[in-house]
Amino acid sequence: MPLPSLFQLAVKSVAQQIHNENFPSDFHLDTKSSNAVVRELLELNPKNIEKLKTHKKQLSKLGELNLSECEHDVESISNLKNFKLNSLEFGNLYYLKTEFPDPERWYSMDIVSLLKRAVNTDSRK
């Protein structure tokens, strides 16, 4: 088994600090680091998706996001507008919590409206 690189160790350390709410507010990560830290953060706990809201400045360069293991709701999806995403994976949206659940239409979803709500204009390009 190969030893982890210094970058991998740093990513794990930063993700753990964010998870523990010990990350300095004046520190900003580049795109590669933001992507890796968020990936690690979500592996620590899928509920850490909420940390994107509180650490949007430090992770502002986030470009890739995989939410396939996270529980989605309207608020967490709306928070994605803070990032210019090049890649976004939702995973299973079957259990998406919505503001106005319609028991008559539980099987349908307007994916275009969801994406407009989830991503900013730059990400849509």
Side-chain angles (χ1 to χ4, degrees), residues 4 9 14 17-19 22 25 28 30 32 34 36 48 56:
L9 291 172
V14 170
Q17 287 181 15
I18 292 173
H19 177 75
N22 293 330
S25 61
H28 302 281
D30 64 6
K32 179 181 176 184
S34 291
N48 279 334
K56 62 186 173 196

Side-chain angles (χ1 to χ4, degrees), residues 54-94:
T54 56
H55 292 83
K56 62 186 173 196
K57 287 186 180 180
Q58 294 91 341
L59 301 168
S60 65
K61 302 286 186 180
L62 180 67
E64 299 173 1
L65 188 56
N66 181 343
L67 300 174
S68 61
E69 300 297 322
C70 299
E71 189 173 299
H72 311 316
D73 61 17
V74 174
E75 185 179 344
S76 66
I77 287 174
S78 296
N79 288 330
L80 300 180
K81 285 193 175 222
N82 295 314
F83 307 99
K84 184 179 178 184
L85 299 171
N86 298 320
S87 172
L88 174 62
E89 185 175 332
F90 281 112
N92 187 356
L93 294 174
Y94 183 75

